[in-house]
């Protein structure tokens, strides 16, 4: 006689064997699978943690190198500005010295030109006086003689 099983009927033998199989599966998985899986997960976690720590360390070193680079660049800028300032001062000093030398040279040449001009004027006056004394002339002839003498002089000698 076959009895039809309903949805609410429980098969005790099936439940016992299913439970035993499940427990046996958990024991086998715990012994052979969970250990290696957990070890692999721990190894992976350690690898990730090491990679993160290495990245942090490299980032810190990169930031330190960047800071050193900025400091070095700032120092180079400061040195360049100092060199430019010194060069400008040297150029200004050289310019002032050259201007002073030029002024002194101009003054000396001016004095020499004035002295030469005075000497020429004296020579002209003496020459004119000699001519006037050599010939006793009236005032009109004396003026004419001086003007003729001045005309004979080269144009550079005339002032």
């Amino acid at each position: 006689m076959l009895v039809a099983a309903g949805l609410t009927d429980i098969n005790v033998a099936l439940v016992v064997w299913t439970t035993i199989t499940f427990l046996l599966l958990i024991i086998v998985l715990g012994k052979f699978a969970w250990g290696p899986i957990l070890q692999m997960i721990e190894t992976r976690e350690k690898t990730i943690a090491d990679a993160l720590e290495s990245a942090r360390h490299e980032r810190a070193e990169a930031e330190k190198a960047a800071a050193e680079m900025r400091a070095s660049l700032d120092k180079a800028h400061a040195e360049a500005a100092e060199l430019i300032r010194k060069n400008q001062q040297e150029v200004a000093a050289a310019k002032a010295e050259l201007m002073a030398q030029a002024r002194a040279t101009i003054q000396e040449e001016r004095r020499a030109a004035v002295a030469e001009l005075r000497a020429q004027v004296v020579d002209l006056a003496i020459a004119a006086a000699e001519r006037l004394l050599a010939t006793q002339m009236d005032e009109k002839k004396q003026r004419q003689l001086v003007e003729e003498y001045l005309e004979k002089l080269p144009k550079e000698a005339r002032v």
Side-chain angles (χ1 to χ4, degrees), residues 131-132 137-152:
R131 284 228 166 159
L132 288 175
M137 298 186 225
D138 62 355
E139 188 178 330
K140 184 178 177 187
K141 285 189 176 185
Q142 288 176 356
R143 284 187 182 275
Q144 183 182 5
L145 184 63
V146 169
E147 287 177 10
E148 286 175 8
Y149 183 74
L150 288 175
E151 286 293 323
K152 290 179 185 177

mmCIF file of all heavy atoms in Angstrom, residues 131-132 137-152:
data_model
loop_
_atom_site.group_PDB
_atom_site.id
_atom_site.type_symbol
_atom_site.label_atom_id
_atom_site.label_comp_id
_atom_site.label_asym_id
_atom_site.label_seq_id
_atom_site.Cartn_x
_atom_site.Cartn_y
_atom_site.Cartn_z
ATOM 1 N N ARG A 131 103.996 144.487 -37.362
ATOM 2 C CA ARG A 131 103.715 145.083 -38.664
ATOM 3 C C ARG A 131 103.340 146.559 -38.513
ATOM 4 O O ARG A 131 103.720 147.386 -39.339
ATOM 5 C CB ARG A 131 102.576 144.334 -39.340
ATOM 6 C CG ARG A 131 103.027 143.020 -39.897
ATOM 7 C CD ARG A 131 102.495 142.959 -41.270
ATOM 8 N NE ARG A 131 103.119 141.897 -42.013
ATOM 9 C CZ ARG A 131 102.579 141.387 -43.068
ATOM 10 N NH1 ARG A 131 101.419 141.828 -43.483
ATOM 11 N NH2 ARG A 131 103.195 140.466 -43.738
ATOM 12 N N LEU A 132 102.536 146.808 -37.495
ATOM 13 C CA LEU A 132 102.117 148.192 -37.294
ATOM 14 C C LEU A 132 103.312 149.078 -36.933
ATOM 15 O O LEU A 132 103.408 150.226 -37.360
ATOM 16 C CB LEU A 132 101.042 148.286 -36.212
ATOM 17 C CG LEU A 132 99.668 147.749 -36.587
ATOM 18 C CD1 LEU A 132 98.756 147.802 -35.381
ATOM 19 C CD2 LEU A 132 99.065 148.579 -37.714
ATOM 20 N N MET A 137 101.911 154.199 -40.049
ATOM 21 C CA MET A 137 100.779 154.492 -40.904
ATOM 22 C C MET A 137 99.713 155.193 -40.106
ATOM 23 O O MET A 137 99.724 155.166 -38.889
ATOM 24 C CB MET A 137 100.203 153.190 -41.447
ATOM 25 C CG MET A 137 101.133 152.394 -42.287
ATOM 26 S SD MET A 137 100.188 151.035 -42.929
ATOM 27 C CE MET A 137 101.315 149.726 -42.671
ATOM 28 N N ASP A 138 98.818 155.725 -40.897
ATOM 29 C CA ASP A 138 97.687 156.340 -40.215
ATOM 30 C C ASP A 138 96.728 155.223 -39.770
ATOM 31 O O ASP A 138 96.884 154.064 -40.124
ATOM 32 C CB ASP A 138 97.010 157.375 -41.123
ATOM 33 C CG ASP A 138 96.440 156.752 -42.379
ATOM 34 O OD1 ASP A 138 96.655 155.539 -42.585
ATOM 35 O OD2 ASP A 138 95.751 157.457 -43.134
ATOM 36 N N GLU A 139 95.702 155.616 -39.011
ATOM 37 C CA GLU A 139 94.795 154.621 -38.419
ATOM 38 C C GLU A 139 94.064 153.818 -39.476
ATOM 39 O O GLU A 139 93.878 152.607 -39.331
ATOM 40 C CB GLU A 139 93.776 155.334 -37.518
ATOM 41 C CG GLU A 139 92.932 154.357 -36.725
ATOM 42 C CD GLU A 139 91.963 155.057 -35.790
ATOM 43 O OE1 GLU A 139 92.247 156.165 -35.316
ATOM 44 O OE2 GLU A 139 90.912 154.454 -35.562
ATOM 45 N N LYS A 140 93.681 154.440 -40.574
ATOM 46 C CA LYS A 140 92.951 153.746 -41.628
ATOM 47 C C LYS A 140 93.824 152.666 -42.257
ATOM 48 O O LYS A 140 93.397 151.534 -42.461
ATOM 49 C CB LYS A 140 92.498 154.753 -42.690
ATOM 50 C CG LYS A 140 91.664 154.151 -43.780
ATOM 51 C CD LYS A 140 91.230 155.212 -44.756
ATOM 52 C CE LYS A 140 90.445 154.606 -45.892
ATOM 53 N NZ LYS A 140 90.120 155.524 -46.950
ATOM 54 N N LYS A 141 95.081 152.985 -42.532
ATOM 55 C CA LYS A 141 95.983 152.008 -43.118
ATOM 56 C C LYS A 141 96.326 150.892 -42.126
ATOM 57 O O LYS A 141 96.494 149.741 -42.510
ATOM 58 C CB LYS A 141 97.260 152.697 -43.615
ATOM 59 C CG LYS A 141 97.046 153.461 -44.883
ATOM 60 C CD LYS A 141 98.376 153.930 -45.442
ATOM 61 C CE LYS A 141 98.115 154.613 -46.771
ATOM 62 N NZ LYS A 141 99.340 154.984 -47.435
ATOM 63 N N GLN A 142 96.413 151.231 -40.851
ATOM 64 C CA GLN A 142 96.683 150.214 -39.836
ATOM 65 C C GLN A 142 95.540 149.194 -39.770
ATOM 66 O O GLN A 142 95.767 147.987 -39.721
ATOM 67 C CB GLN A 142 96.876 150.868 -38.457
ATOM 68 C CG GLN A 142 98.171 151.610 -38.334
ATOM 69 C CD GLN A 142 98.292 152.340 -36.996
ATOM 70 O OE1 GLN A 142 97.352 152.336 -36.205
ATOM 71 N NE2 GLN A 142 99.427 152.972 -36.782
ATOM 72 N N ARG A 143 94.317 149.665 -39.775
ATOM 73 C CA ARG A 143 93.153 148.755 -39.750
ATOM 74 C C ARG A 143 93.138 147.866 -40.992
ATOM 75 O O ARG A 143 92.868 146.676 -40.913
ATOM 76 C CB ARG A 143 91.856 149.542 -39.663
ATOM 77 C CG ARG A 143 91.571 150.086 -38.296
ATOM 78 C CD ARG A 143 90.167 150.710 -38.287
ATOM 79 N NE ARG A 143 89.867 151.285 -37.014
ATOM 80 C CZ ARG A 143 89.375 150.627 -35.982
ATOM 81 N NH1 ARG A 143 89.113 149.360 -36.089
ATOM 82 N NH2 ARG A 143 89.124 151.229 -34.843
ATOM 83 N N GLN A 144 93.410 148.479 -42.139
ATOM 84 C CA GLN A 144 93.409 147.728 -43.392
ATOM 85 C C GLN A 144 94.480 146.643 -43.354
ATOM 86 O O GLN A 144 94.247 145.509 -43.763
ATOM 87 C CB GLN A 144 93.650 148.683 -44.572
ATOM 88 C CG GLN A 144 93.587 147.991 -45.907
ATOM 89 C CD GLN A 144 93.891 148.957 -47.050
ATOM 90 O OE1 GLN A 144 94.232 150.120 -46.831
ATOM 91 N NE2 GLN A 144 93.753 148.474 -48.256
ATOM 92 N N LEU A 145 95.665 146.963 -42.801
ATOM 93 C CA LEU A 145 96.751 146.002 -42.703
ATOM 94 C C LEU A 145 96.384 144.839 -41.781
ATOM 95 O O LEU A 145 96.627 143.672 -42.097
ATOM 96 C CB LEU A 145 98.018 146.708 -42.206
ATOM 97 C CG LEU A 145 99.270 145.851 -42.133
ATOM 98 C CD1 LEU A 145 99.662 145.366 -43.533
ATOM 99 C CD2 LEU A 145 100.404 146.621 -41.514
ATOM 100 N N VAL A 146 95.758 145.129 -40.642
ATOM 101 C CA VAL A 146 95.346 144.074 -39.703
ATOM 102 C C VAL A 146 94.304 143.174 -40.356
ATOM 103 O O VAL A 146 94.360 141.942 -40.255
ATOM 104 C CB VAL A 146 94.818 144.684 -38.384
ATOM 105 C CG1 VAL A 146 94.155 143.623 -37.528
ATOM 106 C CG2 VAL A 146 95.952 145.342 -37.628
ATOM 107 N N GLU A 147 93.341 143.768 -41.048
ATOM 108 C CA GLU A 147 92.298 142.972 -41.698
ATOM 109 C C GLU A 147 92.894 142.102 -42.797
ATOM 110 O O GLU A 147 92.516 140.929 -42.946
ATOM 111 C CB GLU A 147 91.206 143.885 -42.251
ATOM 112 C CG GLU A 147 90.326 144.465 -41.159
ATOM 113 C CD GLU A 147 89.284 145.443 -41.701
ATOM 114 O OE1 GLU A 147 89.110 145.535 -42.935
ATOM 115 O OE2 GLU A 147 88.639 146.094 -40.874
ATOM 116 N N GLU A 148 93.844 142.623 -43.560
ATOM 117 C CA GLU A 148 94.502 141.813 -44.590
ATOM 118 C C GLU A 148 95.261 140.659 -43.955
ATOM 119 O O GLU A 148 95.242 139.536 -44.455
ATOM 120 C CB GLU A 148 95.460 142.683 -45.414
ATOM 121 C CG GLU A 148 94.784 143.599 -46.377
ATOM 122 C CD GLU A 148 95.786 144.525 -47.083
ATOM 123 O OE1 GLU A 148 97.009 144.324 -46.920
ATOM 124 O OE2 GLU A 148 95.322 145.429 -47.785
ATOM 125 N N TYR A 149 95.949 140.946 -42.856
ATOM 126 C CA TYR A 149 96.695 139.900 -42.161
ATOM 127 C C TYR A 149 95.755 138.807 -41.657
ATOM 128 O O TYR A 149 96.047 137.623 -41.780
ATOM 129 C CB TYR A 149 97.513 140.518 -41.008
ATOM 130 C CG TYR A 149 98.357 139.493 -40.290
ATOM 131 C CD1 TYR A 149 99.507 138.978 -40.896
ATOM 132 C CD2 TYR A 149 98.009 139.035 -39.028
ATOM 133 C CE1 TYR A 149 100.275 138.035 -40.255
ATOM 134 C CE2 TYR A 149 98.776 138.087 -38.381
ATOM 135 C CZ TYR A 149 99.919 137.583 -39.002
ATOM 136 O OH TYR A 149 100.681 136.643 -38.372
ATOM 137 N N LEU A 150 94.625 139.222 -41.107
ATOM 138 C CA LEU A 150 93.649 138.250 -40.608
ATOM 139 C C LEU A 150 93.063 137.430 -41.747
ATOM 140 O O LEU A 150 92.777 136.240 -41.575
ATOM 141 C CB LEU A 150 92.536 138.945 -39.825
ATOM 142 C CG LEU A 150 92.916 139.505 -38.459
ATOM 143 C CD1 LEU A 150 91.750 140.265 -37.853
ATOM 144 C CD2 LEU A 150 93.368 138.401 -37.526
ATOM 145 N N GLU A 151 92.894 137.997 -42.895
ATOM 146 C CA GLU A 151 92.365 137.267 -44.045
ATOM 147 C C GLU A 151 93.359 136.207 -44.519
ATOM 148 O O GLU A 151 92.967 135.159 -45.022
ATOM 149 C CB GLU A 151 92.048 138.218 -45.208
ATOM 150 C CG GLU A 151 90.815 139.052 -44.995
ATOM 151 C CD GLU A 151 89.552 138.231 -44.976
ATOM 152 O OE1 GLU A 151 89.449 137.251 -45.745
ATOM 153 O OE2 GLU A 151 88.646 138.559 -44.180
ATOM 154 N N LYS A 152 94.646 136.469 -44.380
ATOM 155 C CA LYS A 152 95.668 135.532 -44.836
ATOM 156 C C LYS A 152 95.792 134.323 -43.908
ATOM 157 O O LYS A 152 96.302 133.286 -44.312
ATOM 158 C CB LYS A 152 97.026 136.236 -44.939
ATOM 159 C CG LYS A 152 97.107 137.222 -46.070
ATOM 160 C CD LYS A 152 98.470 137.880 -46.093
ATOM 161 C CE LYS A 152 98.513 138.964 -47.158
ATOM 162 N NZ LYS A 152 99.796 139.667 -47.154
#
